[in-house]
Amino acid sequence: MSVHNLEIAALLNQLADLLDIEGDNVFRVRAYRNAARTIEGMSRGIAEMVAGGEDLSALPGIGAALSKKLAEIVTTGHFHALERETAHLPPGLLDLLQIPGLGPKRVGQLYRELKVCGLPELETALAEGTVTKLHGFGDKTVERIRDWLQRRQQAGPARLRRDIAAALTTDLLRALRALPGTQSVTPAGSFRRGAETVGDMDILATGDEPALVKCFVNHEDVAEILAQGDTRAAVRLRAGLQVDLRVVPPESYGAALHYFTGSKAHNIAIRTRGVKAGIKINEYGIFRGDARLGGAAEGEIFAAVGLPFIEPELREDRGEIAAAETGRLPKLLALNDLRGDLHAHTTESDGTASLDAMARAALAKNYAYLAITDHSRRMTVAHGLDAIRLRRQIAAIRAWNEAHAGGAFQLLAGSEVDILEDGALDLPDDVLAELDLVVASIHDHFGLDGERQTARMIKAMENPHVHIIGHPTGRLIGEREPQVLDMERLLAGARLHGVAMELSAQPSRLDLNDLQCRMAKERGVAIAISTDAHAPGDLALMSGGILQARRGWLEAADVLNTRPWPELRARLRRKAQ
Ligand code: DGT
Ligand code: CA
Ligand code: CA
Ligand code: ZN
């Protein structure tokens, strides 16, 4: 039994949520949430550390009591503190928390006053009209809840965040790769296309067929075998994710990889093109009549239909075949094109590491710059900085640069300043003018109508000191819908005012999304790909942002933080004039 860090973090968050609903001590609730965050961001497995007898209480935010609980989870599979809560609080309450506008307080109210203990009971209560009678539940709130429930019904089966799917399948992939005789094991499907969420995982392998299938279905993370044949199987993991395995002979590997990478629409377009050229393309290979023309390597598929190689991230039938045909495929951005990160937090606001630790982490990535952008004063829960504290931090950043002068690395003094409800900024212009870089973000009033929300953001862009709009739509994948925005007008505003849009590489955000990135590129608006790091390890989240950017057809020239420092500096200064 090996419990993944993400599973542990999910348990801790569940406990925090239930305690919060009960109205438990806020510090206790926060402690569980912080610990969950620490564990989520760790590269090493808690299970492995416990097995090795390591001291977990040395980890940030994890004390002696909590480290005992973690040991309990990984060794026994039980978590008594949570079980005690779920014994008297129905777990369906956690589903209610997903609804925008329903925080723990209101969920607790629904439970205590109306005996609502899950989504079905909520629907009943809404139908009976009892919800509006609760204190603090106005017509608007009730309408939003109804909307959400309706949209949820139409949304179809749940999809899992890509990073979570990756973490949940790491051990399985490792086990398959370690089998004697295995030649290749490759995740295909939407995962290989770099999609932000996956419906299921598709794994393609070449090697010893019976051994691969057997290892797959017997793996310790598998909860249920859904199908099993000689060369294929499908399973459901304990965490709920479905995984499909296909074992193919080496001569079919390229054709199968192309087929199972998809997308389906792209496959059909390629196959149709083949038919016109008198060849048949399927998952087994490339054929003319009975003659086999190829199929061992993926590139052969494209060559057979007279096209250059098309990167997996582009294979959505969104014009990539026409672009390939006319030699206009983008030269997609790669991780090593980036020269720095333009959004990071420290312990001054809600980060977990000092300025120096963040700087060193960026240096270790060979970056040319890292912008420190702690929250502004309005974000009180995140200890946001007012002008006085920000000026002190600016001085600390200048001092750090002086102490490390002569190197090829700069810390940039920045701020993630809140955009207030009317589009004004949360810090005065004179202090913003002292900064190298300003990211302006919305952290409240997500529910404004599209007209007002768009105008609010454009007003922020008009401020001469604002360089980047942070996580522009505010969505949280699977948790919070994007704000209603007129993207066309927003991008026109960004273009006019020389403001870049952020692509937040936070796996829960990936905001802007792929289509919006492409739209920005086409409208001449630069993208800043930023990790919004809250810890040194978060700088590694950049790779997820790169995938989304590639899905948005972005090239190095479309991205702000591919610029060398002198060029970036000139650009940042120009905006303020
Ligand atoms: P997902 O799992 O919903 O995130 O999306 P995919 O793209 O991974 O879809 P999935 O797992 O159903 O199938 C994997 C790939 O197999 C898909 O991208 C393309 C290929 N495929 C599946 N069904 C068909 C089909 O009916 N026709 C063709 N041409 N390809 C298919
Ligand atoms: Ca799939
Ligand atoms: Ca599949
Ligand atoms: Zn941030």
mmCIF file with all atom_site columns, all heavy atoms in Angstrom, residues 503-528:
data_model
loop_
_atom_site.group_PDB
_atom_site.id
_atom_site.type_symbol
_atom_site.label_atom_id
_atom_site.label_alt_id
_atom_site.label_comp_id
_atom_site.label_asym_id
_atom_site.label_entity_id
_atom_site.label_seq_id
_atom_site.pdbx_PDB_ins_code
_atom_site.Cartn_x
_atom_site.Cartn_y
_atom_site.Cartn_z
_atom_site.occupancy
_atom_site.B_iso_or_equiv
_atom_site.pdbx_formal_charge
_atom_site.auth_seq_id
_atom_site.auth_comp_id
_atom_site.auth_asym_id
_atom_site.auth_atom_id
_atom_site.pdbx_PDB_model_num
ATOM 1   N N   . LEU A 1 503 ? -0.383  33.944 -18.190 1.00 0.00 ? 503 LEU A N   1
ATOM 2   C CA  . LEU A 1 503 ? -0.795  32.547 -18.203 1.00 0.00 ? 503 LEU A CA  1
ATOM 3   C C   . LEU A 1 503 ? -0.245  31.991 -16.906 1.00 0.00 ? 503 LEU A C   1
ATOM 4   O O   . LEU A 1 503 ? 0.961   31.740 -16.786 1.00 0.00 ? 503 LEU A O   1
ATOM 5   C CB  . LEU A 1 503 ? -0.226  31.812 -19.433 1.00 0.00 ? 503 LEU A CB  1
ATOM 6   C CG  . LEU A 1 503 ? -0.156  30.275 -19.371 1.00 0.00 ? 503 LEU A CG  1
ATOM 7   C CD1 . LEU A 1 503 ? -1.452  29.641 -18.916 1.00 0.00 ? 503 LEU A CD1 1
ATOM 8   C CD2 . LEU A 1 503 ? 0.223   29.726 -20.730 1.00 0.00 ? 503 LEU A CD2 1
ATOM 9   N N   . SER A 1 504 ? -1.102  31.870 -15.899 1.00 0.00 ? 504 SER A N   1
ATOM 10  C CA  . SER A 1 504 ? -0.653  31.338 -14.617 1.00 0.00 ? 504 SER A CA  1
ATOM 11  C C   . SER A 1 504 ? -0.408  29.850 -14.768 1.00 0.00 ? 504 SER A C   1
ATOM 12  O O   . SER A 1 504 ? -1.282  29.109 -15.192 1.00 0.00 ? 504 SER A O   1
ATOM 13  C CB  . SER A 1 504 ? -1.716  31.585 -13.536 1.00 0.00 ? 504 SER A CB  1
ATOM 14  O OG  . SER A 1 504 ? -1.343  30.874 -12.369 1.00 0.00 ? 504 SER A OG  1
ATOM 15  N N   . ALA A 1 505 ? 0.800   29.431 -14.400 1.00 0.00 ? 505 ALA A N   1
ATOM 16  C CA  . ALA A 1 505 ? 1.150   28.011 -14.533 1.00 0.00 ? 505 ALA A CA  1
ATOM 17  C C   . ALA A 1 505 ? 0.693   27.189 -13.340 1.00 0.00 ? 505 ALA A C   1
ATOM 18  O O   . ALA A 1 505 ? 0.909   25.983 -13.306 1.00 0.00 ? 505 ALA A O   1
ATOM 19  C CB  . ALA A 1 505 ? 2.663   27.870 -14.731 1.00 0.00 ? 505 ALA A CB  1
ATOM 20  N N   . GLN A 1 506 ? 0.037   27.837 -12.365 1.00 0.00 ? 506 GLN A N   1
ATOM 21  C CA  . GLN A 1 506 ? -0.534  27.075 -11.246 1.00 0.00 ? 506 GLN A CA  1
ATOM 22  C C   . GLN A 1 506 ? -1.455  26.008 -11.820 1.00 0.00 ? 506 GLN A C   1
ATOM 23  O O   . GLN A 1 506 ? -2.366  26.330 -12.588 1.00 0.00 ? 506 GLN A O   1
ATOM 24  C CB  . GLN A 1 506 ? -1.361  28.011 -10.344 1.00 0.00 ? 506 GLN A CB  1
ATOM 25  C CG  . GLN A 1 506 ? -0.540  28.909 -9.458  1.00 0.00 ? 506 GLN A CG  1
ATOM 26  C CD  . GLN A 1 506 ? 0.032   28.182 -8.261  1.00 0.00 ? 506 GLN A CD  1
ATOM 27  O OE1 . GLN A 1 506 ? -0.625  27.336 -7.668  1.00 0.00 ? 506 GLN A OE1 1
ATOM 28  N NE2 . GLN A 1 506 ? 1.269   28.500 -7.929  1.00 0.00 ? 506 GLN A NE2 1
ATOM 29  N N   . PRO A 1 507 ? -1.265  24.739 -11.463 1.00 0.00 ? 507 PRO A N   1
ATOM 30  C CA  . PRO A 1 507 ? -2.062  23.684 -12.087 1.00 0.00 ? 507 PRO A CA  1
ATOM 31  C C   . PRO A 1 507 ? -3.560  23.818 -11.856 1.00 0.00 ? 507 PRO A C   1
ATOM 32  O O   . PRO A 1 507 ? -4.349  23.318 -12.643 1.00 0.00 ? 507 PRO A O   1
ATOM 33  C CB  . PRO A 1 507 ? -1.544  22.394 -11.452 1.00 0.00 ? 507 PRO A CB  1
ATOM 34  C CG  . PRO A 1 507 ? -0.469  22.771 -10.523 1.00 0.00 ? 507 PRO A CG  1
ATOM 35  C CD  . PRO A 1 507 ? -0.258  24.243 -10.530 1.00 0.00 ? 507 PRO A CD  1
ATOM 36  N N   . SER A 1 508 ? -3.962  24.510 -10.795 1.00 0.00 ? 508 SER A N   1
ATOM 37  C CA  . SER A 1 508 ? -5.391  24.696 -10.575 1.00 0.00 ? 508 SER A CA  1
ATOM 38  C C   . SER A 1 508 ? -5.933  25.866 -11.411 1.00 0.00 ? 508 SER A C   1
ATOM 39  O O   . SER A 1 508 ? -7.130  26.019 -11.549 1.00 0.00 ? 508 SER A O   1
ATOM 40  C CB  . SER A 1 508 ? -5.650  24.976 -9.103  1.00 0.00 ? 508 SER A CB  1
ATOM 41  O OG  . SER A 1 508 ? -4.940  26.135 -8.722  1.00 0.00 ? 508 SER A OG  1
ATOM 42  N N   . ARG A 1 509 ? -5.039  26.669 -11.954 1.00 0.00 ? 509 ARG A N   1
ATOM 43  C CA  . ARG A 1 509 ? -5.498  27.852 -12.706 1.00 0.00 ? 509 ARG A CA  1
ATOM 44  C C   . ARG A 1 509 ? -5.321  27.677 -14.215 1.00 0.00 ? 509 ARG A C   1
ATOM 45  O O   . ARG A 1 509 ? -6.278  27.668 -14.965 1.00 0.00 ? 509 ARG A O   1
ATOM 46  C CB  . ARG A 1 509 ? -4.739  29.101 -12.251 1.00 0.00 ? 509 ARG A CB  1
ATOM 47  C CG  . ARG A 1 509 ? -5.054  29.532 -10.828 1.00 0.00 ? 509 ARG A CG  1
ATOM 48  C CD  . ARG A 1 509 ? -4.454  30.913 -10.565 1.00 0.00 ? 509 ARG A CD  1
ATOM 49  N NE  . ARG A 1 509 ? -4.670  31.401 -9.212  1.00 0.00 ? 509 ARG A NE  1
ATOM 50  C CZ  . ARG A 1 509 ? -5.743  32.078 -8.819  1.00 0.00 ? 509 ARG A CZ  1
ATOM 51  N NH1 . ARG A 1 509 ? -6.687  32.362 -9.677  1.00 0.00 ? 509 ARG A NH1 1
ATOM 52  N NH2 . ARG A 1 509 ? -5.857  32.498 -7.573  1.00 0.00 ? 509 ARG A NH2 1
ATOM 53  N N   . LEU A 1 510 ? -4.082  27.586 -14.687 1.00 0.00 ? 510 LEU A N   1
ATOM 54  C CA  . LEU A 1 510 ? -3.784  27.565 -16.123 1.00 0.00 ? 510 LEU A CA  1
ATOM 55  C C   . LEU A 1 510 ? -4.677  28.579 -16.837 1.00 0.00 ? 510 LEU A C   1
ATOM 56  O O   . LEU A 1 510 ? -5.467  28.261 -17.712 1.00 0.00 ? 510 LEU A O   1
ATOM 57  C CB  . LEU A 1 510 ? -3.932  26.153 -16.693 1.00 0.00 ? 510 LEU A CB  1
ATOM 58  C CG  . LEU A 1 510 ? -2.868  25.191 -16.129 1.00 0.00 ? 510 LEU A CG  1
ATOM 59  C CD1 . LEU A 1 510 ? -3.169  23.750 -16.502 1.00 0.00 ? 510 LEU A CD1 1
ATOM 60  C CD2 . LEU A 1 510 ? -1.472  25.584 -16.594 1.00 0.00 ? 510 LEU A CD2 1
ATOM 61  N N   . ASP A 1 511 ? -4.465  29.813 -16.428 1.00 0.00 ? 511 ASP A N   1
ATOM 62  C CA  . ASP A 1 511 ? -5.370  30.905 -16.754 1.00 0.00 ? 511 ASP A CA  1
ATOM 63  C C   . ASP A 1 511 ? -4.510  32.076 -17.209 1.00 0.00 ? 511 ASP A C   1
ATOM 64  O O   . ASP A 1 511 ? -3.693  32.557 -16.401 1.00 0.00 ? 511 ASP A O   1
ATOM 65  C CB  . ASP A 1 511 ? -6.151  31.237 -15.470 1.00 0.00 ? 511 ASP A CB  1
ATOM 66  C CG  . ASP A 1 511 ? -7.092  32.402 -15.594 1.00 0.00 ? 511 ASP A CG  1
ATOM 67  O OD1 . ASP A 1 511 ? -7.360  32.824 -16.715 1.00 0.00 ? 511 ASP A OD1 1
ATOM 68  O OD2 . ASP A 1 511 ? -7.577  32.874 -14.536 1.00 0.00 ? 511 ASP A OD2 1
ATOM 69  N N   . LEU A 1 512 ? -4.614  32.502 -18.476 1.00 0.00 ? 512 LEU A N   1
ATOM 70  C CA  . LEU A 1 512 ? -5.519  32.150 -19.560 1.00 0.00 ? 512 LEU A CA  1
ATOM 71  C C   . LEU A 1 512 ? -5.424  30.685 -19.975 1.00 0.00 ? 512 LEU A C   1
ATOM 72  O O   . LEU A 1 512 ? -4.404  30.043 -19.779 1.00 0.00 ? 512 LEU A O   1
ATOM 73  C CB  . LEU A 1 512 ? -5.182  33.005 -20.803 1.00 0.00 ? 512 LEU A CB  1
ATOM 74  C CG  . LEU A 1 512 ? -5.335  34.511 -20.626 1.00 0.00 ? 512 LEU A CG  1
ATOM 75  C CD1 . LEU A 1 512 ? -4.927  35.215 -21.914 1.00 0.00 ? 512 LEU A CD1 1
ATOM 76  C CD2 . LEU A 1 512 ? -6.768  34.917 -20.300 1.00 0.00 ? 512 LEU A CD2 1
ATOM 77  N N   . ASN A 1 513 ? -6.476  30.204 -20.622 1.00 0.00 ? 513 ASN A N   1
ATOM 78  C CA  . ASN A 1 513 ? -6.432  28.852 -21.156 1.00 0.00 ? 513 ASN A CA  1
ATOM 79  C C   . ASN A 1 513 ? -5.840  28.835 -22.567 1.00 0.00 ? 513 ASN A C   1
ATOM 80  O O   . ASN A 1 513 ? -5.421  29.879 -23.090 1.00 0.00 ? 513 ASN A O   1
ATOM 81  C CB  . ASN A 1 513 ? -7.825  28.201 -21.083 1.00 0.00 ? 513 ASN A CB  1
ATOM 82  C CG  . ASN A 1 513 ? -8.797  28.794 -22.095 1.00 0.00 ? 513 ASN A CG  1
ATOM 83  O OD1 . ASN A 1 513 ? -8.401  29.459 -23.062 1.00 0.00 ? 513 ASN A OD1 1
ATOM 84  N ND2 . ASN A 1 513 ? -10.075 28.560 -21.891 1.00 0.00 ? 513 ASN A ND2 1
ATOM 85  N N   . ASP A 1 514 ? -5.795  27.668 -23.185 1.00 0.00 ? 514 ASP A N   1
ATOM 86  C CA  . ASP A 1 514 ? -5.147  27.526 -24.488 1.00 0.00 ? 514 ASP A CA  1
ATOM 87  C C   . ASP A 1 514 ? -5.759  28.414 -25.580 1.00 0.00 ? 514 ASP A C   1
ATOM 88  O O   . ASP A 1 514 ? -5.056  29.138 -26.285 1.00 0.00 ? 514 ASP A O   1
ATOM 89  C CB  . ASP A 1 514 ? -5.130  26.050 -24.921 1.00 0.00 ? 514 ASP A CB  1
ATOM 90  C CG  . ASP A 1 514 ? -6.484  25.374 -24.788 1.00 0.00 ? 514 ASP A CG  1
ATOM 91  O OD1 . ASP A 1 514 ? -7.461  26.017 -24.354 1.00 0.00 ? 514 ASP A OD1 1
ATOM 92  O OD2 . ASP A 1 514 ? -6.574  24.177 -25.135 1.00 0.00 ? 514 ASP A OD2 1
ATOM 93  N N   . LEU A 1 515 ? -7.078  28.376 -25.684 1.00 0.00 ? 515 LEU A N   1
ATOM 94  C CA  . LEU A 1 515 ? -7.743  29.143 -26.746 1.00 0.00 ? 515 LEU A CA  1
ATOM 95  C C   . LEU A 1 515 ? -7.571  30.644 -26.535 1.00 0.00 ? 515 LEU A C   1
ATOM 96  O O   . LEU A 1 515 ? -7.392  31.405 -27.481 1.00 0.00 ? 515 LEU A O   1
ATOM 97  C CB  . LEU A 1 515 ? -9.237  28.784 -26.790 1.00 0.00 ? 515 LEU A CB  1
ATOM 98  C CG  . LEU A 1 515 ? -9.527  27.378 -27.310 1.00 0.00 ? 515 LEU A CG  1
ATOM 99  C CD1 . LEU A 1 515 ? -10.988 27.016 -27.082 1.00 0.00 ? 515 LEU A CD1 1
ATOM 100 C CD2 . LEU A 1 515 ? -9.167  27.267 -28.792 1.00 0.00 ? 515 LEU A CD2 1
ATOM 101 N N   . GLN A 1 516 ? -7.613  31.041 -25.258 1.00 0.00 ? 516 GLN A N   1
ATOM 102 C CA  . GLN A 1 516 ? -7.457  32.473 -24.953 1.00 0.00 ? 516 GLN A CA  1
ATOM 103 C C   . GLN A 1 516 ? -6.023  32.933 -25.238 1.00 0.00 ? 516 GLN A C   1
ATOM 104 O O   . GLN A 1 516 ? -5.802  34.053 -25.688 1.00 0.00 ? 516 GLN A O   1
ATOM 105 C CB  . GLN A 1 516 ? -7.846  32.728 -23.497 1.00 0.00 ? 516 GLN A CB  1
ATOM 106 C CG  . GLN A 1 516 ? -9.337  32.516 -23.254 1.00 0.00 ? 516 GLN A CG  1
ATOM 107 C CD  . GLN A 1 516 ? -9.671  32.273 -21.788 1.00 0.00 ? 516 GLN A CD  1
ATOM 108 O OE1 . GLN A 1 516 ? -8.815  31.874 -20.994 1.00 0.00 ? 516 GLN A OE1 1
ATOM 109 N NE2 . GLN A 1 516 ? -10.919 32.506 -21.424 1.00 0.00 ? 516 GLN A NE2 1
ATOM 110 N N   . CYS A 1 517 ? -5.038  32.052 -24.985 1.00 0.00 ? 517 CYS A N   1
ATOM 111 C CA  . CYS A 1 517 ? -3.649  32.395 -25.311 1.00 0.00 ? 517 CYS A CA  1
ATOM 112 C C   . CYS A 1 517 ? -3.508  32.618 -26.814 1.00 0.00 ? 517 CYS A C   1
ATOM 113 O O   . CYS A 1 517 ? -2.851  33.561 -27.271 1.00 0.00 ? 517 CYS A O   1
ATOM 114 C CB  . CYS A 1 517 ? -2.702  31.263 -24.901 1.00 0.00 ? 517 CYS A CB  1
ATOM 115 S SG  . CYS A 1 517 ? -2.374  31.216 -23.138 1.00 0.00 ? 517 CYS A SG  1
ATOM 116 N N   . ARG A 1 518 ? -4.129  31.734 -27.559 1.00 0.00 ? 518 ARG A N   1
ATOM 117 C CA  . ARG A 1 518 ? -4.020  31.846 -29.010 1.00 0.00 ? 518 ARG A CA  1
ATOM 118 C C   . ARG A 1 518 ? -4.694  33.126 -29.501 1.00 0.00 ? 518 ARG A C   1
ATOM 119 O O   . ARG A 1 518 ? -4.199  33.809 -30.398 1.00 0.00 ? 518 ARG A O   1
ATOM 120 C CB  . ARG A 1 518 ? -4.671  30.618 -29.649 1.00 0.00 ? 518 ARG A CB  1
ATOM 121 C CG  . ARG A 1 518 ? -4.391  30.530 -31.133 1.00 0.00 ? 518 ARG A CG  1
ATOM 122 C CD  . ARG A 1 518 ? -4.765  29.166 -31.650 1.00 0.00 ? 518 ARG A CD  1
ATOM 123 N NE  . ARG A 1 518 ? -4.799  29.145 -33.088 1.00 0.00 ? 518 ARG A NE  1
ATOM 124 C CZ  . ARG A 1 518 ? -5.311  28.146 -33.792 1.00 0.00 ? 518 ARG A CZ  1
ATOM 125 N NH1 . ARG A 1 518 ? -5.814  27.091 -33.169 1.00 0.00 ? 518 ARG A NH1 1
ATOM 126 N NH2 . ARG A 1 518 ? -5.305  28.176 -35.101 1.00 0.00 ? 518 ARG A NH2 1
ATOM 127 N N   . MET A 1 519 ? -5.806  33.439 -28.879 1.00 0.00 ? 519 MET A N   1
ATOM 128 C CA  . MET A 1 519 ? -6.533  34.653 -29.230 1.00 0.00 ? 519 MET A CA  1
ATOM 129 C C   . MET A 1 519 ? -5.652  35.883 -28.940 1.00 0.00 ? 519 MET A C   1
ATOM 130 O O   . MET A 1 519 ? -5.559  36.798 -29.745 1.00 0.00 ? 519 MET A O   1
ATOM 131 C CB  . MET A 1 519 ? -7.795  34.679 -28.370 1.00 0.00 ? 519 MET A CB  1
ATOM 132 C CG  . MET A 1 519 ? -8.909  35.506 -28.898 1.00 0.00 ? 519 MET A CG  1
ATOM 133 S SD  . MET A 1 519 ? -10.372 35.145 -27.858 1.00 0.00 ? 519 MET A SD  1
ATOM 134 C CE  . MET A 1 519 ? -11.226 36.689 -28.070 1.00 0.00 ? 519 MET A CE  1
ATOM 135 N N   . ALA A 1 520 ? -4.988  35.867 -27.784 1.00 0.00 ? 520 ALA A N   1
ATOM 136 C CA  . ALA A 1 520 ? -4.119  36.982 -27.409 1.00 0.00 ? 520 ALA A CA  1
ATOM 137 C C   . ALA A 1 520 ? -3.000  37.138 -28.433 1.00 0.00 ? 520 ALA A C   1
ATOM 138 O O   . ALA A 1 520 ? -2.703  38.238 -28.892 1.00 0.00 ? 520 ALA A O   1
ATOM 139 C CB  . ALA A 1 520 ? -3.541  36.761 -26.013 1.00 0.00 ? 520 ALA A CB  1
ATOM 140 N N   . LYS A 1 521 ? -2.394  36.022 -28.800 1.00 0.00 ? 521 LYS A N   1
ATOM 141 C CA  . LYS A 1 521 ? -1.314  36.047 -29.784 1.00 0.00 ? 521 LYS A CA  1
ATOM 142 C C   . LYS A 1 521 ? -1.808  36.678 -31.086 1.00 0.00 ? 521 LYS A C   1
ATOM 143 O O   . LYS A 1 521 ? -1.163  37.559 -31.651 1.00 0.00 ? 521 LYS A O   1
ATOM 144 C CB  . LYS A 1 521 ? -0.847  34.612 -30.024 1.00 0.00 ? 521 LYS A CB  1
ATOM 145 C CG  . LYS A 1 521 ? 0.120   34.433 -31.183 1.00 0.00 ? 521 LYS A CG  1
ATOM 146 C CD  . LYS A 1 521 ? 0.190   32.953 -31.584 1.00 0.00 ? 521 LYS A CD  1
ATOM 147 C CE  . LYS A 1 521 ? 1.023   32.780 -32.839 1.00 0.00 ? 521 LYS A CE  1
ATOM 148 N NZ  . LYS A 1 521 ? 2.272   32.076 -32.564 1.00 0.00 ? 521 LYS A NZ  1
ATOM 149 N N   . GLU A 1 522 ? -2.967  36.243 -31.529 1.00 0.00 ? 522 GLU A N   1
ATOM 150 C CA  . GLU A 1 522 ? -3.500  36.751 -32.789 1.00 0.00 ? 522 GLU A CA  1
ATOM 151 C C   . GLU A 1 522 ? -3.849  38.232 -32.717 1.00 0.00 ? 522 GLU A C   1
ATOM 152 O O   . GLU A 1 522 ? -3.846  38.929 -33.726 1.00 0.00 ? 522 GLU A O   1
ATOM 153 C CB  . GLU A 1 522 ? -4.733  35.935 -33.213 1.00 0.00 ? 522 GLU A CB  1
ATOM 154 C CG  . GLU A 1 522 ? -4.329  34.575 -33.765 1.00 0.00 ? 522 GLU A CG  1
ATOM 155 C CD  . GLU A 1 522 ? -5.497  33.585 -33.864 1.00 0.00 ? 522 GLU A CD  1
ATOM 156 O OE1 . GLU A 1 522 ? -6.628  33.958 -33.485 1.00 0.00 ? 522 GLU A OE1 1
ATOM 157 O OE2 . GLU A 1 522 ? -5.257  32.448 -34.318 1.00 0.00 ? 522 GLU A OE2 1
ATOM 158 N N   . ARG A 1 523 ? -4.144  38.717 -31.506 1.00 0.00 ? 523 ARG A N   1
ATOM 159 C CA  . ARG A 1 523 ? -4.487  40.138 -31.347 1.00 0.00 ? 523 ARG A CA  1
ATOM 160 C C   . ARG A 1 523 ? -3.262  40.967 -30.980 1.00 0.00 ? 523 ARG A C   1
ATOM 161 O O   . ARG A 1 523 ? -3.381  42.139 -30.644 1.00 0.00 ? 523 ARG A O   1
ATOM 162 C CB  . ARG A 1 523 ? -5.534  40.318 -30.241 1.00 0.00 ? 523 ARG A CB  1
ATOM 163 C CG  . ARG A 1 523 ? -6.777  39.453 -30.334 1.00 0.00 ? 523 ARG A CG  1
ATOM 164 C CD  . ARG A 1 523 ? -7.688  39.838 -31.461 1.00 0.00 ? 523 ARG A CD  1
ATOM 165 N NE  . ARG A 1 523 ? -8.933  39.085 -31.451 1.00 0.00 ? 523 ARG A NE  1
ATOM 166 C CZ  . ARG A 1 523 ? -9.072  37.825 -31.909 1.00 0.00 ? 523 ARG A CZ  1
ATOM 167 N NH1 . ARG A 1 523 ? -8.020  37.159 -32.375 1.00 0.00 ? 523 ARG A NH1 1
ATOM 168 N NH2 . ARG A 1 523 ? -10.249 37.232 -31.895 1.00 0.00 ? 523 ARG A NH2 1
ATOM 169 N N   . GLY A 1 524 ? -2.081  40.348 -30.979 1.00 0.00 ? 524 GLY A N   1
ATOM 170 C CA  . GLY A 1 524 ? -0.860  41.088 -30.693 1.00 0.00 ? 524 GLY A CA  1
ATOM 171 C C   . GLY A 1 524 ? -0.661  41.427 -29.222 1.00 0.00 ? 524 GLY A C   1
ATOM 172 O O   . GLY A 1 524 ? -0.012  42.412 -28.881 1.00 0.00 ? 524 GLY A O   1
ATOM 173 N N   . VAL A 1 525 ? -1.219  40.624 -28.332 1.00 0.00 ? 525 VAL A N   1
ATOM 174 C CA  . VAL A 1 525 ? -1.045  40.849 -26.887 1.00 0.00 ? 525 VAL A CA  1
ATOM 175 C C   . VAL A 1 525 ? -0.050  39.824 -26.345 1.00 0.00 ? 525 VAL A C   1
ATOM 176 O O   . VAL A 1 525 ? -0.191  38.622 -26.587 1.00 0.00 ? 525 VAL A O   1
ATOM 177 C CB  . VAL A 1 525 ? -2.396  40.715 -26.144 1.00 0.00 ? 525 VAL A CB  1
ATOM 178 C CG1 . VAL A 1 525 ? -2.206  40.788 -24.641 1.00 0.00 ? 525 VAL A CG1 1
ATOM 179 C CG2 . VAL A 1 525 ? -3.366  41.795 -26.632 1.00 0.00 ? 525 VAL A CG2 1
ATOM 180 N N   . ALA A 1 526 ? 0.961   40.321 -25.634 1.00 0.00 ? 526 ALA A N   1
ATOM 181 C CA  . ALA A 1 526 ? 1.993   39.424 -25.100 1.00 0.00 ? 526 ALA A CA  1
ATOM 182 C C   . ALA A 1 526 ? 1.442   38.617 -23.923 1.00 0.00 ? 526 ALA A C   1
ATOM 183 O O   . ALA A 1 526 ? 0.544   39.065 -23.207 1.00 0.00 ? 526 ALA A O   1
ATOM 184 C CB  . ALA A 1 526 ? 3.205   40.226 -24.646 1.00 0.00 ? 526 ALA A CB  1
ATOM 185 N N   . ILE A 1 527 ? 1.998   37.428 -23.739 1.00 0.00 ? 527 ILE A N   1
ATOM 186 C CA  . ILE A 1 527 ? 1.639   36.576 -22.613 1.00 0.00 ? 527 ILE A CA  1
ATOM 187 C C   . ILE A 1 527 ? 2.837   36.498 -21.663 1.00 0.00 ? 527 ILE A C   1
ATOM 188 O O   . ILE A 1 527 ? 3.975   36.363 -22.114 1.00 0.00 ? 527 ILE A O   1
ATOM 189 C CB  . ILE A 1 527 ? 1.299   35.143 -23.100 1.00 0.00 ? 527 ILE A CB  1
ATOM 190 C CG1 . ILE A 1 527 ? 0.097   35.151 -24.050 1.00 0.00 ? 527 ILE A CG1 1
ATOM 191 C CG2 . ILE A 1 527 ? 1.078   34.203 -21.917 1.00 0.00 ? 527 ILE A CG2 1
ATOM 192 C CD1 . ILE A 1 527 ? -1.244  35.371 -23.387 1.00 0.00 ? 527 ILE A CD1 1
ATOM 193 N N   . ALA A 1 528 ? 2.563   36.597 -20.359 1.00 0.00 ? 528 ALA A N   1
ATOM 194 C CA  . ALA A 1 528 ? 3.604   36.337 -19.354 1.00 0.00 ? 528 ALA A CA  1
ATOM 195 C C   . ALA A 1 528 ? 3.275   34.991 -18.726 1.00 0.00 ? 528 ALA A C   1
ATOM 196 O O   . ALA A 1 528 ? 2.199   34.835 -18.144 1.00 0.00 ? 528 ALA A O   1
ATOM 197 C CB  . ALA A 1 528 ? 3.602   37.420 -18.285 1.00 0.00 ? 528 ALA A CB  1
#
